[in-house]
C-alpha cells in the first residue's frame, strides 16, 4: 500500500525558534497533501491543503505566516512552524492523496510530536 | 455543510466478542465514499475499511464489516472476534463534495478487555 513518512517523529524546540516538519510520499506521487493538528484525545483538525507547485490553502483561523507550507515536489511537502510558542505544542499529521487510487482515501504519515519549551 | 457524528466517545469489548461502533453523517451528495480509520496508541492513522455509497453490499475486511444504511445516513463498524490489538481510537470520515478533504467524526475510543 501507499506509504507516507514524516520527519522528525519528535522535536523539542525553544520558544521563538522555527522548526520544519517534512512529509514524503514514498511510493507514489502526491499532488495534494494535507496537514492536520491533533490535540490529546481529540479528532484531527485540518490546518491546510498543500498543492504541488502552488500556494497552500489554509483553513479559517490558521495563521499562514506562522505555519508555512511548501510543496515543491510531487513527493515532498514541508510545514515550518515559525517563531514557535508553547501553545504550538501539539501532534502534527500529514496525509497524501494518491490520485491513481479509485477512492478518495488519504494515506497518513506517522505524525510529529512538537514540544515548544 | 457536511457533518459526521460519532455518538459513543468510549466503548469497551471483551476479547473475542463483537462490538459495533456507530457513525451518522449528513451530505447532499448521492455518490460518495465513507471511511473508518483506526488510530492506535502509536497514533498512526490506518484505513480500516471503505464503503462506496452506490454499492448496496456492505463492505467487509476480514473481521471488520460495516452496516451501511444510505437512507438513514448511518455507517456503523462491526468488529468481530475482538483482539487486544483492536484497542484504538476509531474515526469515521466522509470526503467533502468534489474534494479530497475529509470530515472526521470526533472518534470513539475502543478498549479491549482481556
Amino acid at each position: 500500500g501507499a506509504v507516507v513518512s514524516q520527519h522528525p517523529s519528535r522535536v523539542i524546540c525553544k520558544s521563538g525558534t522555527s522548526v520544519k516538519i517534512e512529509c514524503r510520499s514514498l511510493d507514489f506521487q502526491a499532488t495534494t497533501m494535507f496537514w492536520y493538528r491533533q490535540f490529546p484525545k481529540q479528532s484531527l483538525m485540518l490546518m491546510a491543503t498543500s498543492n504541488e507547485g502552488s500556494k497552500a490553502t489554509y483553513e479559517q483561523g490558521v495563521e499562514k505566516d506562522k505555519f508555512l507550507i511548501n510543496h515543491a515536489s510531487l513527493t515532498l511537502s514541508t510545514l515550518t512552524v515559525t517563531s514557535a510558542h508553547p501553545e504550538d505544542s501539539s501532534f502534527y499529521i500529514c496525509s497524501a492523496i494518491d490520485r491513481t487510487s479509485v477512492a478518495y482515501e488519504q494515506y497518513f504519515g506517522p505524525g510529529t510530536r512538537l514540544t515548544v519549551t | 455543510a457536511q457533518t459526521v457524528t460519532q455518538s459513543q466517545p468510549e466503548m469497551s469489548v471483551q476479547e473475542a466478542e463483537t462490538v459495533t461502533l456507530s457513525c451518522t453523517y449528513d451530505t447532499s451528495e448521492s455518490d460518495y465514499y465513507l471511511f473508518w480509520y483506526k488510530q492506535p496508541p502509536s497514533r498512526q492513522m490506518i484505513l480500516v475499511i471503505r464503503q462506496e455509497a452506490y454499492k448496496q453490499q456492505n463492505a467487509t475486511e476480514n473481521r471488520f464489516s460495516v452496516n451501511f444504511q444510505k437512507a438513514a445516513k448511518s455507517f456503523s463498524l462491526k468488529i468481530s472476534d475482538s483482539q487486544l490489538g483492536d484497542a484504538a481510537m476509531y474515526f469515521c470520515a466522509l470526503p467533502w463534495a468534489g474534494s479530497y478533504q475529509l470530515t472526521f467524526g470526533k472518534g470513539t475510543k475502543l478498549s479491549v478487555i482481556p
Side-chain angles (χ1 to χ4, degrees), chain A residues 38 43 46 105-106 108, chain B residues 37 39 44 50 100-101 105:
Chain A
Q38 187 179 32
S43 189
L46 180 65
E105 60 195 77
Q106 295 184 20
F108 288 84
Chain B
Y37 282 92
Q39 188 180 40
Q44 168 75 62
R50 68 168 173 261
Y100 292 104
Q101 290 177 289

Side-chain angles (χ1 to χ4, degrees), chain A residues 5-103:
Chain A
S5 70
Q6 258 182 266
H7 178 79
S9 58
R10 290 175 175 264
V11 59
I12 300 173
C13 70
K14 292 187 176 181
S15 186
T17 62
S18 297
V19 61
K20 180 185 287 187
I21 302 170
E22 294 186 347
C23 178
R24 293 180 185 274
S25 56
L26 298 185
D27 50 2
F28 66 99
Q29 294 183 334
T31 54
T32 301
M33 292 183 172
F34 299 98
W35 286 96
Y36 296 89
R37 186 171 180 176
Q38 187 179 32
F39 293 103
K41 299 183 180 181
Q42 292 190 23
S43 189
L44 281 68
M45 180 186 78
L46 180 65
M47 297 176 64
T49 302
S50 171
N51 295 298
E52 186 269 336
S54 64
K55 291 184 178 180
T57 303
Y58 292 82
E59 296 302 302
Q60 192 172 10
V62 177
E63 298 176 61
K64 61 180 68 177
D65 294 330
K66 180 166 194 59
F67 298 99
L68 300 179
I69 291 172
N70 183 275
H71 193 157
S73 79
L74 288 172
T75 59
L76 174 65
S77 176
T78 60
L79 168 67
T80 301
V81 182
T82 63
S83 186
H85 290 285
E87 56 265 31
D88 299 324
S89 298
S90 191
F91 193 70
Y92 293 88
I93 304 174
C94 72
S95 70
I97 299 291
D98 178 0
R99 291 189 182 239
T100 64
S101 169
V102 297

Side-chain angles (χ1 to χ4, degrees), chain B residues 11-104:
Chain B
M11 293 279 287
S12 62
V13 62
Q14 293 279 351
E15 197 175 2
E17 296 296 309
T18 296
V19 64
T20 298
L21 309 183
S22 301
C23 173
T24 58
Y25 62 94
D26 192 22
T27 180
S28 58
E29 299 296 300
S30 59
D31 191 18
Y32 47 89
Y33 286 91
L34 287 159
F35 303 103
W36 277 99
Y37 282 92
K38 169 185 177 180
Q39 188 180 40
S42 69
R43 304 190 77 171
Q44 168 75 62
M45 293 284 284
I46 302 165
L47 178 65
V48 175
I49 199 165
R50 68 168 173 261
Q51 173 78 44
E52 296 178 67
Y54 73 89
K55 288 187 175 180
Q56 293 187 345
Q57 187 173 6
N58 289 323
T60 299
E61 288 287 342
N62 301 313
R63 298 182 295 107
F64 298 87
S65 61
V66 300
N67 182 3
F68 175 52
Q69 303 289 330
K70 190 175 183 179
K73 294 182 178 176
S74 171
F75 181 57
S76 60
L77 175 69
K78 186 172 83 170
I79 306 173
S80 304
D81 185 26
S82 297
Q83 301 175 1
L84 295 178
D86 295 333
M89 284 289 289
Y90 287 83
F91 294 98
C92 179
L94 170 69
W96 293 20
S99 169
Y100 292 104
Q101 290 177 289
L102 292 173
T103 298
F104 286 94

